[in-house]
Amino acid sequence: MKQIHILKTVKGWTAKCNSAPADLISGADKNVVVKEAVGLAKRLYGKAVIFIHGLDGRILEQRDI
């Protein structure tokens, strides 16, 4: 199952897939990045797990989609 990680960066928030080196989505608003990552994961992978990380890197939330 694909994993997508939402991470805080210097430029805002980014969504990364565990199997791809490039960012899937980037933006200044965490909620927008999460919403777009969920939609993209549904279209591309069908099923995925989204991990939302805090500023310190710890996983704060996990969503199965």
Side-chain angles (χ1 to χ4, degrees):
M1 184 175 298
K2 295 289 184 181
Q3 295 179 356
I4 297 175
H5 298 269
I6 310 292
L7 308 161
K8 176 70 173 155
T9 66
V10 175
K11 296 180 181 179
W13 292 87
T14 189
K16 291 184 170 244
C17 182
N18 63 331
S19 62
D23 296 348
L24 293 173
I25 300 165
S26 294
D29 187 301
K30 180 180 98 171
N31 294 326
V32 171
V33 172
V34 170
K35 183 178 177 181
E36 289 182 14
V38 168
L40 186 62
K42 285 180 180 178
R43 286 192 308 274
L44 293 178
Y45 309 124
K47 289 188 175 185
V49 179
I50 294 186
F51 296 100
I52 301 171
H53 296 265
L55 296 175
D56 59 0
R58 292 183 299 141
I59 295 172
L60 299 177
E61 186 179 342
Q62 176 181 338
R63 296 182 187 183
D64 296 321
I65 57 165

